[in-house]
């Protein structure tokens, strides 16, 4: 299995003996450079646990995760995670600019002035010019999430793992942030893996949707999203290809919730 990021036979369990609880079992996937891939599945199937294993924040119980061909045993350079709870992931004693600069701490070949200039450019790209000197607690939740995304972009990581990053924002902000993430991923040449409960979001943003089965989870279906780019909140969501992919994903998840065998 080749790709920028791969998982081969990955399993994850908690506990021992009769108390052992398997969360992931024999999971395989491959993410190619430049892709935007969404992960969806029934509630509680283990999506976040999988993302933590892919990032190196959790060690698999079985199998291996590889990033650029190297086995992942800890968070590797070149990979960043944007968490769902951005209010906790941001450092409240640092300004928005300092939080973004913190994401650049492992970037080599740039002096302090160059890092500050790059951080300012990215802050502008997420629409937060003028708020560089504010602290996270001084701005709205949507603006905090923009800071968290800016920090992930600023790390110059080749791969961004996104754990339901838009779950806590309102519907209009969510739509704006979806488009922003797609634009930034293209602009900064980043590969993205998005975990989301929102099927429409998964289809709208992705080149491929990987549908996970019930716990212990594995990939049960890969659905390619044949939609033109750039995406548009109106025309894309009205495209028959969007509606077909959405229907396919939702039908799979509904079948799994009802305990039906998958075709």
């Amino acid at each position: 299995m080749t790709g920028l990021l791969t998982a081969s036979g990955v399993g994850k369990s908690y506990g021992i003996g009769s108390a052992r609880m398997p969360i992931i079992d024999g999971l395989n996937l491959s993410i190619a450079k430049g892709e935007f891939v969404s992960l969806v599945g029934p509630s509680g199937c283990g999506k976040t646990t999988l993302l933590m294993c892919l990032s190196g924040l959790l060690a698999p119980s079985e199998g291996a995760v590889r990033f650029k061909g190297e086995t992942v045993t800890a968070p590797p350079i070149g990979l960043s995670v944007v968490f769902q709870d951005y209010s906790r992931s941001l450092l409240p004693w640092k300004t928005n600019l300092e939080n973004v600069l913190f994401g650049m701490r492992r970037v080599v070949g740039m002096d302090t002035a160059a890092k500050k200039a790059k951080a300012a450019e990215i802050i502008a790209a997420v629409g937060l010019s003028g708020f560089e000197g504010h602290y996270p607690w001084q701005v709205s939740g949507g603006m905090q999430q923009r800071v968290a995304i800016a920090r992930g972009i600023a790390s110059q990581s080749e791969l961004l793992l996104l754990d339901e990053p838009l779950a806590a924002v309102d519907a209009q902000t969510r739509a704006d942030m979806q488009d922003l993430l797609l634009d930034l991923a293209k602009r900064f040449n980043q590969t993205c893996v998005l975990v989301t409960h929102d099927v429409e979001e998964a289809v709208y943003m992705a080149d491929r949707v990987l549908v996970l089965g019930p716990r212990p989870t594995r990939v049960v279906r890969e659905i390619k999203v044949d939609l033109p780019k750039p995406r548009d909140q109106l025309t894309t969501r009205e495209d028959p290809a969007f509606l077909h992919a959405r229907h396919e994903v939702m039908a799979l998840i509904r079948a799994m919730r009802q305990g039906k065998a998958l075709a």
Side-chain angles (χ1 to χ4, degrees):
M1 185 179 291
T2 61
L4 180 66
L5 178 76
T6 62
S8 303
V10 166
K12 181 63 181 178
S13 301
Y14 295 106
I16 57 174
S18 60
R20 179 176 174 271
M21 179 183 293
I23 308 298
I24 303 169
D25 183 30
L27 185 143
N28 300 300
L29 61 76
S30 179
I31 310 296
K33 186 175 178 61
E35 276 194 300
F36 200 117
V37 175
S38 294
L39 300 177
V40 299
S43 181
C45 73
K47 294 184 290 293
T48 294
T49 298
L50 172 59
L51 203 73
M52 295 300 98
C53 290
L54 296 178
S55 70
L57 291 169
L58 275 179
S61 304
E62 298 92 25
V65 174
R66 293 181 174 84
F67 177 60
K68 298 197 292 187
E70 299 293 326
T71 300
V72 173
T73 57
I77 294 174
L79 182 154
S80 293
V81 183
V82 177
F83 296 98
Q84 176 180 353
D85 193 350
Y86 49 82
S87 64
R88 293 187 178 183
S89 67
L90 296 176
L91 303 175
W93 61 90
K94 290 183 178 290
T95 65
N96 293 331
L97 176 62
E98 289 168 342
N99 268 283
V100 175
L101 285 169
F102 183 76
M104 303 177 73
R105 65 196 182 281
R106 296 200 291 183
V107 174
V108 297
M110 296 177 70
D111 60 21
T112 300
K115 286 184 177 180
K116 285 184 176 179
K118 189 67 175 179
E121 175 192 347
I122 294 170
I123 285 174
V126 300
L128 289 177
S129 293
F131 293 91
E132 297 90 341
H134 288 63
Y135 292 89
W137 46 270
Q138 292 179 312
V139 298
S140 70
M143 294 169 80
Q144 289 178 38
Q145 188 61 310
R146 288 173 183 259
V147 176
I149 291 169
R151 186 174 63 184
I153 297 290
S155 67
Q156 296 193 0
S157 297
E158 294 177 64
L159 177 64
L160 279 183
L161 302 180
L162 304 154
D163 185 19
E164 297 193 68
L166 309 180
V169 298
D170 63 84
Q172 183 56 59
T173 300
R174 188 167 189 151
D176 293 342
M177 294 292 285
Q178 289 167 355
D179 292 334
L180 175 64
L181 275 169
L182 289 173
D183 177 66
L184 292 174
K186 180 179 180 181
R187 192 185 312 184
F188 294 100
N189 300 311
Q190 290 181 307
T191 304
C192 295
V193 177
L194 170 71
V195 166
T196 180
H197 278 94
D198 188 324
V199 171
E200 291 199 359
E201 178 174 86
V203 174
Y204 179 78
M205 300 185 73
D207 301 304
R208 287 188 296 142
V209 178
L210 301 183
V211 182
L212 303 178
R215 194 168 66 190
T217 200
R218 58 185 177 85
V219 177
V220 297
R221 191 74 54 86
E222 171 190 313
I223 297 171
K224 294 185 178 180
V225 181
D226 186 20
L227 288 166
K229 292 184 176 180
R231 306 279 165 88
D232 178 82
Q233 291 289 344
L234 295 178
T235 58
T236 296
R237 291 176 184 270
E238 295 170 350
D239 191 304
F242 174 87
L243 298 173
H244 177 78
R246 172 184 173 274
H247 177 87
E248 186 175 0
V249 175
M250 293 189 74
L252 279 168
I253 293 175
R254 177 182 292 180
M256 287 186 283
R257 285 174 177 165
Q258 295 173 348
K260 297 179 180 178
L262 300 180

